[in-house]
């Protein structure tokens, strides 16, 4: 790799992809960054390509015809659909797990099986396919039980039921009404884990891992973790609940054990591995695996990454991280998601956004776009449930929080909603 010689394609259109494009574009190795389909916020740093993240054939054709040296996949759906298999089979360099390995996120039943075989601590669970069996099984889990659809459900296929009635409703929604379609053909009943959750991400080459700093997501729409679950309303890094000792334990007993088990079964895992981990009174337990960067965790993590990301991504694609080093800044980073009124339910699009330049000019702040597009007059308008992720760094987590909210306060669009307590847990510690 020589300076200014590499063309990179990022696939996806959210805040995670904007953060990746922003970081990749800083590399002296990179000649041009493309993003398919991208969003309005990326236009200064990437050339947008009007191809959807699910159009595997068209993406492959584009990469082939435009001398793409490296493709980075943002969302889970194309990974679970086999995009990496198609690119690798065509001799192209790509970052992400192959279809069989991406089932760690594509099937919660598959994931639980891997955890069990690897001896990784996780919640007690049962798998069911019929309503009657699942309802009968509720008595084995007590009042509080978690019900999960097996397949991909855009982060919404999990219900933490507080009562039997809530649990039965969730079972009916998934198994009878099929609100998540085929994703609910199998469901998991799981004991409710009590503790504090953290997001642990690692770069993986099939056998080695390079851990990223810890982070913590805020899933619910409302302050104080109230209201319905969302794709994520904000995140910060590092998460003080993860001590250096805990991080080492998770690297050895979760990440490396999982990779070793999968490699031993002829299904090596390459790419980004994201473990949602609950720190319980009995120790860490894995809630879920994701087969890609989290959104919004990616945004604060990219703000903290000192190293050039491109050599790291190439090492993953080549399957060898053994000689790769990654440096991170000590400064904490915080990301506050600004959403459309009504999200995660129905919401309106097309609301003009003002104050973006002022926010980006705030101390320590960078605004990443999640759901935006160009309006008819060239203005930037809302185009999704999660619209922006306003990030900031600071000497302390308190300063990073204040800076993120100061920047968010400069941005205006009709019906803007955001939590006012992102990072509060870190301050309390």
């Amino acid at each position: 790799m020589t300076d200014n010689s590499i063309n990179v394609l990022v696939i996806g259109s959210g805040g995670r992809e904007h953060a990746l494009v922003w970081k990749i574009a800083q590399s002296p190795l990179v000649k041009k960054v493309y993003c398919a389909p991208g969003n309005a916020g990326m236009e200064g740093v990437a050339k947008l390509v009007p191809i959807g993240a699910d159009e595997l054939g068209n993406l492959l054709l584009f990469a082939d015809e435009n001398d793409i040296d490296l493709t980075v996949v943002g969302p889970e759906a194309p990974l679970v659909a086999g995009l990496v298999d198609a690119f690798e089979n065509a001799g192209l360099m790509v970052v992400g797990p192959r279809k069989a390995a991406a089932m760690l996120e594509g099937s919660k039943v598959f994931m639980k099986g891997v955890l069990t075989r690897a001896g990784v601590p996780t919640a007690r669970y049962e798998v069911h396919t019929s309503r009657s069996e699942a309802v009968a099984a509720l008595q084995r889990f007590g009042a509080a039980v978690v019900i999960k659809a097996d397949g991909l459900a855009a982060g919404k296929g999990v219900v933490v039921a507080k009562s039997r009635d809530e649990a039965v409703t969730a079972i009916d929604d998934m198994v009878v009404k099929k609100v998540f379609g085929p994703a609910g053909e199998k469901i998991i009943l799981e004991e409710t884990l009590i503790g504090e959750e953290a997001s642990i991400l690692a770069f993986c080459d099939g056998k080695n891992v390079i851990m990223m700093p810890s982070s913590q997501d805020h899933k619910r729409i409302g302050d104080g973790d109230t209201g319905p679950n969302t794709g994520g309303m904000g995140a910060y890094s590092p998460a003080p609940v993860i001590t250096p000792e805990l991080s080492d334990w998770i690297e050895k007993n979760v990440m490396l054990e999982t990779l070793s088990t999968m490699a031993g079964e002829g299904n090596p895992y390459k790419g980004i591995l994201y473990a949602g981990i609950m720190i319980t009174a009995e120790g860490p337990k894995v809630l879920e695996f994701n087969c890609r960067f989290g959104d919004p965790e990616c945004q604060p993590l990219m703000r903290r990454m000192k190293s050039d990301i491109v050599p790291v991504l190439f090492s993953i694609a080549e399957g060898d991280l053994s000689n790769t080093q990654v440096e991170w800044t000590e400064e904490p980073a915080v990301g506050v998601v600004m959403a459309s009124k009504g999200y995660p339910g129905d919401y309106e699009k097309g609301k003009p956004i003002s104050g973006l330049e002022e926010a980006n000019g705030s101390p320590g702040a960078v605004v990443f776009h999640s759901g935006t597009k160009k309006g008819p007059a060239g203005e930037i308008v809302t185009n999704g449930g999660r619209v922006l992720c306003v990030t900031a760094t600071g000497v302390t987590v308190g300063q990073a929080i204040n800076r993120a909210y100061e920047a968010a306060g400069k941005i205006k669009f009709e019906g803007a909603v955001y939590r006012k307590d992102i990072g509060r847990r870190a301050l309390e510690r």
Side-chain angles (χ1 to χ4, degrees):
M1 291 185 280
T2 56
D3 275 11
N4 200 25
S5 65
I6 291 167
N7 292 321
V8 180
L9 169 64
V10 176
I11 294 170
S13 61
R16 162 186 50 214
E17 289 78 28
H18 188 184
L20 288 169
V21 159
W22 173 85
K23 183 67 183 165
I24 289 164
Q26 293 168 25
S27 172
L29 300 168
V30 170
K31 181 164 64 179
K32 198 161 191 180
V33 185
Y34 298 88
C35 192
N39 63 46
M42 301 181 193
E43 288 195 335
V45 284
K47 180 167 174 53
L48 303 189
V49 180
I51 302 174
D54 55 351
E55 297 178 46
L56 304 197
N58 289 335
L59 290 166
L60 186 57
L61 195 64
F62 177 86
D64 198 37
E65 289 178 350
N66 290 273
D67 298 322
I68 300 297
D69 300 289
L70 182 69
T71 298
V72 183
V73 188
E76 63 276 13
L79 294 168
V80 172
L83 182 142
V84 170
D85 308 56
F87 273 61
E88 286 187 345
N89 294 346
L92 296 170
M93 298 285 275
V94 59
V95 180
R98 290 175 76 93
K99 180 177 185 170
M103 292 311 284
L104 271 186
E105 180 168 5
S107 165
K108 293 181 179 66
V109 173
F110 174 86
M111 179 221 30
K112 282 291 208 175
V114 171
L115 289 174
T116 303
R117 295 192 298 277
V120 174
T122 187
R124 179 172 66 85
Y125 72 101
E126 294 180 14
V127 179
H128 293 285
T129 52
S130 82
R131 179 194 186 274
S132 57
E133 281 177 18
V135 170
L138 288 174
Q139 64 188 8
R140 295 193 284 276
F141 286 88
V145 60
V146 182
I147 294 105
K148 297 179 174 180
D150 174 47
L152 292 183
K156 299 187 180 72
V158 177
V159 175
V160 182
K162 301 284 197 301
S163 66
R164 181 186 159 83
D165 286 350
E166 266 187 64
V168 172
T169 300
I171 291 166
D172 283 341
D173 282 348
M174 291 180 198
V175 178
V176 182
K177 296 180 186 169
K178 302 210 182 313
V179 295
F180 301 117
E185 283 172 9
K186 290 181 193 166
I187 61 168
I188 284 180
L189 268 54
E190 196 174 83
E191 68 172 322
T192 302
L193 295 180
I194 307 300
E196 189 172 342
E197 192 177 339
S199 303
I200 305 292
L201 285 83
F203 299 111
C204 306
D205 65 4
K207 48 193 183 297
N208 304 297
V209 302
I210 295 176
M211 299 285 278
M212 300 185 214
S214 62
S215 55
Q216 192 172 64
D217 184 14
H218 298 62
K219 279 272 182 264
R220 293 187 181 270
I221 188 75
D223 289 356
D225 295 322
T226 55
N229 267 334
T230 70
M233 291 302 294
Y236 64 92
S237 173
V241 68
I242 302 294
T243 61
E245 296 76 24
L246 260 182
S247 180
D248 291 345
W249 190 93
I250 292 165
E251 178 176 0
K252 180 169 176 275
N253 296 287
V254 175
M255 299 311 213
L256 287 170
E257 283 294 341
T258 299
L259 257 60
S260 171
T261 297
M262 292 187 71
E265 294 173 356
N267 187 12
Y269 188 96
K270 263 178 21 176
I272 312 302
L273 183 58
Y274 164 149
I277 293 190
M278 186 71 84
I279 310 305
T280 73
E282 297 94 58
K285 294 189 179 185
V286 175
L287 292 167
E288 63 173 357
F289 277 128
N290 293 323
C291 60
R292 35 72 192 178
F293 275 105
D295 184 346
E297 294 95 337
C298 183
Q299 291 90 309
L301 285 171
M302 289 302 101
R303 294 296 316 275
R304 293 192 65 206
M305 191 173 183
K306 270 167 85 170
S307 305
D308 185 342
I309 195 173
V310 172
V312 185
L313 297 173
F314 258 102
S315 297
I316 293 170
E318 287 167 342
D320 187 9
L321 281 166
S322 57
N323 296 315
T324 305
Q325 303 289 317
V326 182
E327 277 189 82
W328 305 87
T329 169
E330 291 293 317
E331 287 204 337
V334 174
V336 175
V337 171
M338 301 185 73
S340 298
K341 183 184 175 188
Y343 174 78
D346 294 335
Y347 54 85
E348 292 179 4
K349 298 180 181 180
K351 307 293 184 188
I353 305 169
S354 65
L356 289 166
E357 279 185 35
E358 292 82 354
N360 270 315
S362 291
V366 175
V367 181
F368 294 116
H369 292 230
S370 303
T372 66
K373 67 173 186 178
K374 282 283 178 74
E379 77 282 30
I380 291 179
V381 301
T382 65
N383 192 43
R386 294 189 293 173
V387 178
L388 303 164
C389 180
V390 183
T391 67
T393 55
V395 177
T396 63
V397 70
Q399 185 183 49
I401 290 168
N402 291 340
R403 285 174 161 187
Y405 281 110
E406 184 188 334
K410 296 176 179 178
I411 298 170
K412 303 281 184 279
F413 59 89
E414 188 190 319
V417 180
Y418 57 94
R419 281 180 60 161
K420 309 300 187 294
D421 63 348
I422 303 300
R424 175 184 51 79
R425 282 205 203 98
L427 283 181
E428 287 171 356
R429 283 180 178 269

